[in-house]
PDB file of all heavy atoms in Angstrom:
ATOM      1  N   ALA A  22     -32.118 -97.709 211.607  1.00  0.00           N
ATOM      2  CA  ALA A  22     -30.894 -98.356 212.063  1.00  0.00           C
ATOM      3  C   ALA A  22     -30.531 -97.668 213.407  1.00  0.00           C
ATOM      4  O   ALA A  22     -29.859 -98.453 214.203  1.00  0.00           O
ATOM      5  CB  ALA A  22     -29.745 -98.128 211.087  1.00  0.00           C
ATOM      6  N   SER A  23     -30.895 -96.514 213.700  1.00  0.00           N
ATOM      7  CA  SER A  23     -30.596 -95.925 215.091  1.00  0.00           C
ATOM      8  C   SER A  23     -31.562 -96.116 216.095  1.00  0.00           C
ATOM      9  O   SER A  23     -31.262 -95.806 217.310  1.00  0.00           O
ATOM     10  CB  SER A  23     -30.368 -94.318 214.790  1.00  0.00           C
ATOM     11  OG  SER A  23     -31.687 -93.761 214.537  1.00  0.00           O
ATOM     12  N   ALA A  24     -32.595 -96.848 215.855  1.00  0.00           N
ATOM     13  CA  ALA A  24     -33.659 -97.179 216.921  1.00  0.00           C
ATOM     14  C   ALA A  24     -32.940 -98.014 217.998  1.00  0.00           C
ATOM     15  O   ALA A  24     -33.302 -97.651 219.173  1.00  0.00           O
ATOM     16  CB  ALA A  24     -34.801 -97.950 216.327  1.00  0.00           C
ATOM     17  N   PRO A  25     -32.095 -98.996 217.821  1.00  0.00           N
ATOM     18  CA  PRO A  25     -31.445 -99.673 219.019  1.00  0.00           C
ATOM     19  C   PRO A  25     -30.678 -98.690 219.830  1.00  0.00           C
ATOM     20  O   PRO A  25     -30.634 -98.895 221.073  1.00  0.00           O
ATOM     21  CB  PRO A  25     -30.715-100.733 218.291  1.00  0.00           C
ATOM     22  CG  PRO A  25     -31.246-100.909 217.010  1.00  0.00           C
ATOM     23  CD  PRO A  25     -31.793 -99.588 216.501  1.00  0.00           C
ATOM     24  N   LEU A  26     -30.052 -97.709 219.207  1.00  0.00           N
ATOM     25  CA  LEU A  26     -29.332 -96.655 220.114  1.00  0.00           C
ATOM     26  C   LEU A  26     -30.177 -96.002 220.930  1.00  0.00           C
ATOM     27  O   LEU A  26     -29.875 -95.657 222.126  1.00  0.00           O
ATOM     28  CB  LEU A  26     -28.520 -95.894 219.136  1.00  0.00           C
ATOM     29  CG  LEU A  26     -27.429 -96.601 218.236  1.00  0.00           C
ATOM     30  CD1 LEU A  26     -26.763 -95.594 217.337  1.00  0.00           C
ATOM     31  CD2 LEU A  26     -26.323 -97.238 219.121  1.00  0.00           C
ATOM     32  N   ALA A  27     -31.382 -95.587 220.379  1.00  0.00           N
ATOM     33  CA  ALA A  27     -32.356 -94.895 221.201  1.00  0.00           C
ATOM     34  C   ALA A  27     -32.910 -95.776 222.403  1.00  0.00           C
ATOM     35  O   ALA A  27     -33.087 -95.235 223.543  1.00  0.00           O
ATOM     36  CB  ALA A  27     -33.486 -94.403 220.373  1.00  0.00           C
ATOM     37  N   TRP A  28     -33.068 -97.012 222.094  1.00  0.00           N
ATOM     38  CA  TRP A  28     -33.426 -97.969 223.132  1.00  0.00           C
ATOM     39  C   TRP A  28     -32.423 -97.999 224.209  1.00  0.00           C
ATOM     40  O   TRP A  28     -32.665 -98.073 225.393  1.00  0.00           O
ATOM     41  CB  TRP A  28     -33.602 -99.290 222.537  1.00  0.00           C
ATOM     42  CG  TRP A  28     -34.028-100.362 223.556  1.00  0.00           C
ATOM     43  CD1 TRP A  28     -33.303-101.020 224.377  1.00  0.00           C
ATOM     44  CD2 TRP A  28     -35.433-100.759 223.730  1.00  0.00           C
ATOM     45  NE1 TRP A  28     -34.031-101.864 225.201  1.00  0.00           N
ATOM     46  CE2 TRP A  28     -35.393-101.759 224.829  1.00  0.00           C
ATOM     47  CE3 TRP A  28     -36.651-100.590 223.257  1.00  0.00           C
ATOM     48  CZ2 TRP A  28     -36.499-102.464 225.366  1.00  0.00           C
ATOM     49  CZ3 TRP A  28     -37.753-101.184 223.721  1.00  0.00           C
ATOM     50  CH2 TRP A  28     -37.727-102.215 224.762  1.00  0.00           C
ATOM     51  N   LEU A  29     -31.153 -98.035 223.749  1.00  0.00           N
ATOM     52  CA  LEU A  29     -30.032 -98.081 224.791  1.00  0.00           C
ATOM     53  C   LEU A  29     -29.951 -96.863 225.732  1.00  0.00           C
ATOM     54  O   LEU A  29     -29.529 -96.940 226.856  1.00  0.00           O
ATOM     55  CB  LEU A  29     -28.626 -98.241 224.104  1.00  0.00           C
ATOM     56  CG  LEU A  29     -28.371 -99.698 223.626  1.00  0.00           C
ATOM     57  CD1 LEU A  29     -27.085 -99.743 222.709  1.00  0.00           C
ATOM     58  CD2 LEU A  29     -28.230-100.541 224.737  1.00  0.00           C
ATOM     59  N   ALA A  30     -30.424 -95.726 225.218  1.00  0.00           N
ATOM     60  CA  ALA A  30     -30.422 -94.489 226.027  1.00  0.00           C
ATOM     61  C   ALA A  30     -31.451 -94.690 227.112  1.00  0.00           C
ATOM     62  O   ALA A  30     -31.305 -93.931 228.234  1.00  0.00           O
ATOM     63  CB  ALA A  30     -30.884 -93.366 225.135  1.00  0.00           C
ATOM     64  N   VAL A  31     -32.419 -95.587 227.061  1.00  0.00           N
ATOM     65  CA  VAL A  31     -33.385 -95.618 228.226  1.00  0.00           C
ATOM     66  C   VAL A  31     -33.299 -97.025 228.935  1.00  0.00           C
ATOM     67  O   VAL A  31     -33.976 -97.145 229.979  1.00  0.00           O
ATOM     68  CB  VAL A  31     -34.849 -95.449 227.615  1.00  0.00           C
ATOM     69  CG1 VAL A  31     -35.115 -94.057 227.100  1.00  0.00           C
ATOM     70  CG2 VAL A  31     -35.189 -96.489 226.579  1.00  0.00           C
ATOM     71  N   GLY A  32     -32.535 -98.025 228.370  1.00  0.00           N
ATOM     72  CA  GLY A  32     -32.503 -99.240 229.069  1.00  0.00           C
ATOM     73  C   GLY A  32     -31.636-100.201 228.384  1.00  0.00           C
ATOM     74  O   GLY A  32     -31.105 -99.898 227.286  1.00  0.00           O
ATOM     75  N   ALA A  33     -31.436-101.419 228.989  1.00  0.00           N
ATOM     76  CA  ALA A  33     -30.563-102.427 228.411  1.00  0.00           C
ATOM     77  C   ALA A  33     -31.362-103.196 227.205  1.00  0.00           C
ATOM     78  O   ALA A  33     -32.571-103.255 227.189  1.00  0.00           O
ATOM     79  CB  ALA A  33     -30.219-103.465 229.459  1.00  0.00           C
ATOM     80  N   MET A  34     -30.606-103.579 226.249  1.00  0.00           N
ATOM     81  CA  MET A  34     -31.143-104.298 225.135  1.00  0.00           C
ATOM     82  C   MET A  34     -31.596-105.590 225.548  1.00  0.00           C
ATOM     83  O   MET A  34     -30.826-106.311 226.429  1.00  0.00           O
ATOM     84  CB  MET A  34     -30.122-104.457 223.977  1.00  0.00           C
ATOM     85  CG  MET A  34     -29.779-103.106 223.267  1.00  0.00           C
ATOM     86  SD  MET A  34     -31.199-102.539 222.364  1.00  0.00           S
ATOM     87  CE  MET A  34     -31.309-103.624 220.988  1.00  0.00           C
ATOM     88  N   PRO A  35     -32.662-106.140 225.121  1.00  0.00           N
ATOM     89  CA  PRO A  35     -33.006-107.557 225.454  1.00  0.00           C
ATOM     90  C   PRO A  35     -32.010-108.437 224.863  1.00  0.00           C
ATOM     91  O   PRO A  35     -31.495-108.190 223.746  1.00  0.00           O
ATOM     92  CB  PRO A  35     -34.487-107.754 224.917  1.00  0.00           C
ATOM     93  CG  PRO A  35     -34.642-106.657 223.893  1.00  0.00           C
ATOM     94  CD  PRO A  35     -33.723-105.580 224.300  1.00  0.00           C
ATOM     95  N   PRO A  36     -31.902-109.634 225.441  1.00  0.00           N
ATOM     96  CA  PRO A  36     -30.796-110.600 224.880  1.00  0.00           C
ATOM     97  C   PRO A  36     -31.314-111.135 223.498  1.00  0.00           C
ATOM     98  O   PRO A  36     -32.483-111.402 223.359  1.00  0.00           O
ATOM     99  CB  PRO A  36     -30.655-111.637 225.876  1.00  0.00           C
ATOM    100  CG  PRO A  36     -31.878-111.610 226.709  1.00  0.00           C
ATOM    101  CD  PRO A  36     -32.359-110.134 226.713  1.00  0.00           C
ATOM    102  N   ALA A  37     -30.391-111.232 222.596  1.00  0.00           N
ATOM    103  CA  ALA A  37     -30.735-111.800 221.264  1.00  0.00           C
ATOM    104  C   ALA A  37     -30.430-113.391 221.278  1.00  0.00           C
ATOM    105  O   ALA A  37     -29.414-113.686 221.794  1.00  0.00           O
ATOM    106  CB  ALA A  37     -29.970-111.158 220.171  1.00  0.00           C
ATOM    107  N   GLN A  38     -31.327-114.059 220.747  1.00  0.00           N
ATOM    108  CA  GLN A  38     -31.078-115.582 220.692  1.00  0.00           C
ATOM    109  C   GLN A  38     -31.413-115.976 219.249  1.00  0.00           C
ATOM    110  O   GLN A  38     -32.512-115.859 218.762  1.00  0.00           O
ATOM    111  CB  GLN A  38     -32.040-116.250 221.641  1.00  0.00           C
ATOM    112  CG  GLN A  38     -31.871-117.786 221.591  1.00  0.00           C
ATOM    113  CD  GLN A  38     -32.730-118.507 222.498  1.00  0.00           C
ATOM    114  OE1 GLN A  38     -33.206-117.956 223.508  1.00  0.00           O
ATOM    115  NE2 GLN A  38     -32.986-119.767 222.295  1.00  0.00           N
ATOM    116  N   ILE A  39     -30.388-116.404 218.518  1.00  0.00           N
ATOM    117  CA  ILE A  39     -30.567-116.837 217.238  1.00  0.00           C
ATOM    118  C   ILE A  39     -30.276-118.331 217.206  1.00  0.00           C
ATOM    119  O   ILE A  39     -29.171-118.767 217.535  1.00  0.00           O
ATOM    120  CB  ILE A  39     -29.588-116.136 216.295  1.00  0.00           C
ATOM    121  CG1 ILE A  39     -29.813-114.617 216.312  1.00  0.00           C
ATOM    122  CG2 ILE A  39     -29.556-116.710 214.856  1.00  0.00           C
ATOM    123  CD1 ILE A  39     -28.836-113.739 215.563  1.00  0.00           C
ATOM    124  N   ASP A  40     -31.272-119.132 216.894  1.00  0.00           N
ATOM    125  CA  ASP A  40     -31.206-120.607 216.836  1.00  0.00           C
ATOM    126  C   ASP A  40     -30.858-121.273 215.543  1.00  0.00           C
ATOM    127  O   ASP A  40     -30.830-122.445 215.522  1.00  0.00           O
ATOM    128  CB  ASP A  40     -32.591-121.118 217.393  1.00  0.00           C
ATOM    129  CG  ASP A  40     -32.883-120.655 218.746  1.00  0.00           C
ATOM    130  OD1 ASP A  40     -31.979-120.507 219.562  1.00  0.00           O
ATOM    131  OD2 ASP A  40     -34.085-120.559 219.099  1.00  0.00           O
ATOM    132  N   HIS A  41     -30.498-120.522 214.604  1.00  0.00           N
ATOM    133  CA  HIS A  41     -30.265-121.125 213.255  1.00  0.00           C
ATOM    134  C   HIS A  41     -28.916-120.578 212.742  1.00  0.00           C
ATOM    135  O   HIS A  41     -28.403-119.594 213.146  1.00  0.00           O
ATOM    136  CB  HIS A  41     -31.439-120.834 212.375  1.00  0.00           C
ATOM    137  CG  HIS A  41     -32.666-121.479 212.771  1.00  0.00           C
ATOM    138  ND1 HIS A  41     -32.975-122.837 212.718  1.00  0.00           N
ATOM    139  CD2 HIS A  41     -33.767-120.837 213.230  1.00  0.00           C
ATOM    140  CE1 HIS A  41     -34.150-123.053 213.131  1.00  0.00           C
ATOM    141  NE2 HIS A  41     -34.740-121.892 213.536  1.00  0.00           N
ATOM    142  N   SER A  42     -28.468-121.323 211.724  1.00  0.00           N
ATOM    143  CA  SER A  42     -27.104-121.094 211.169  1.00  0.00           C
ATOM    144  C   SER A  42     -27.069-119.733 210.382  1.00  0.00           C
ATOM    145  O   SER A  42     -28.107-119.369 209.764  1.00  0.00           O
ATOM    146  CB  SER A  42     -26.629-122.192 210.291  1.00  0.00           C
ATOM    147  OG  SER A  42     -27.416-122.183 209.106  1.00  0.00           O
ATOM    148  N   PRO A  43     -25.957-119.088 210.233  1.00  0.00           N
ATOM    149  CA  PRO A  43     -25.951-117.945 209.365  1.00  0.00           C
ATOM    150  C   PRO A  43     -26.334-118.271 207.916  1.00  0.00           C
ATOM    151  O   PRO A  43     -26.860-117.474 207.224  1.00  0.00           O
ATOM    152  CB  PRO A  43     -24.494-117.466 209.406  1.00  0.00           C
ATOM    153  CG  PRO A  43     -24.046-118.079 210.827  1.00  0.00           C
ATOM    154  CD  PRO A  43     -24.692-119.298 210.958  1.00  0.00           C
ATOM    155  N   ALA A  44     -25.941-119.512 207.374  1.00  0.00           N
ATOM    156  CA  ALA A  44     -26.412-119.859 206.092  1.00  0.00           C
ATOM    157  C   ALA A  44     -27.849-119.890 205.858  1.00  0.00           C
ATOM    158  O   ALA A  44     -28.391-119.346 204.918  1.00  0.00           O
ATOM    159  CB  ALA A  44     -25.759-121.247 205.713  1.00  0.00           C
ATOM    160  N   LEU A  45     -28.616-120.486 206.917  1.00  0.00           N
ATOM    161  CA  LEU A  45     -30.054-120.531 206.820  1.00  0.00           C
ATOM    162  C   LEU A  45     -30.624-119.163 206.817  1.00  0.00           C
ATOM    163  O   LEU A  45     -31.549-118.790 206.156  1.00  0.00           O
ATOM    164  CB  LEU A  45     -30.662-121.380 207.909  1.00  0.00           C
ATOM    165  CG  LEU A  45     -32.167-121.597 207.893  1.00  0.00           C
ATOM    166  CD1 LEU A  45     -32.551-122.272 206.620  1.00  0.00           C
ATOM    167  CD2 LEU A  45     -32.597-122.422 209.110  1.00  0.00           C
ATOM    168  N   LEU A  46     -30.102-118.272 207.712  1.00  0.00           N
ATOM    169  CA  LEU A  46     -30.536-116.897 207.754  1.00  0.00           C
ATOM    170  C   LEU A  46     -30.339-116.166 206.515  1.00  0.00           C
ATOM    171  O   LEU A  46     -31.123-115.361 206.085  1.00  0.00           O
ATOM    172  CB  LEU A  46     -29.919-116.165 208.947  1.00  0.00           C
ATOM    173  CG  LEU A  46     -30.247-116.739 210.350  1.00  0.00           C
ATOM    174  CD1 LEU A  46     -29.482-115.988 211.358  1.00  0.00           C
ATOM    175  CD2 LEU A  46     -31.722-116.662 210.609  1.00  0.00           C
ATOM    176  N   THR A  47     -29.106-116.432 205.838  1.00  0.00           N
ATOM    177  CA  THR A  47     -28.871-115.792 204.588  1.00  0.00           C
ATOM    178  C   THR A  47     -29.807-116.161 203.452  1.00  0.00           C
ATOM    179  O   THR A  47     -30.370-115.392 202.768  1.00  0.00           O
ATOM    180  CB  THR A  47     -27.440-116.067 204.133  1.00  0.00           C
ATOM    181  OG1 THR A  47     -26.563-115.527 205.161  1.00  0.00           O
ATOM    182  CG2 THR A  47     -27.105-115.464 202.784  1.00  0.00           C
TER     183      THR A  47
END
């Protein structure tokens, strides 16, 4: 869970693109 925080320490997070509904993802 802390890996994205480590990434932020060295650079910007890549943009997230979610093309489907929360219901489908669930």
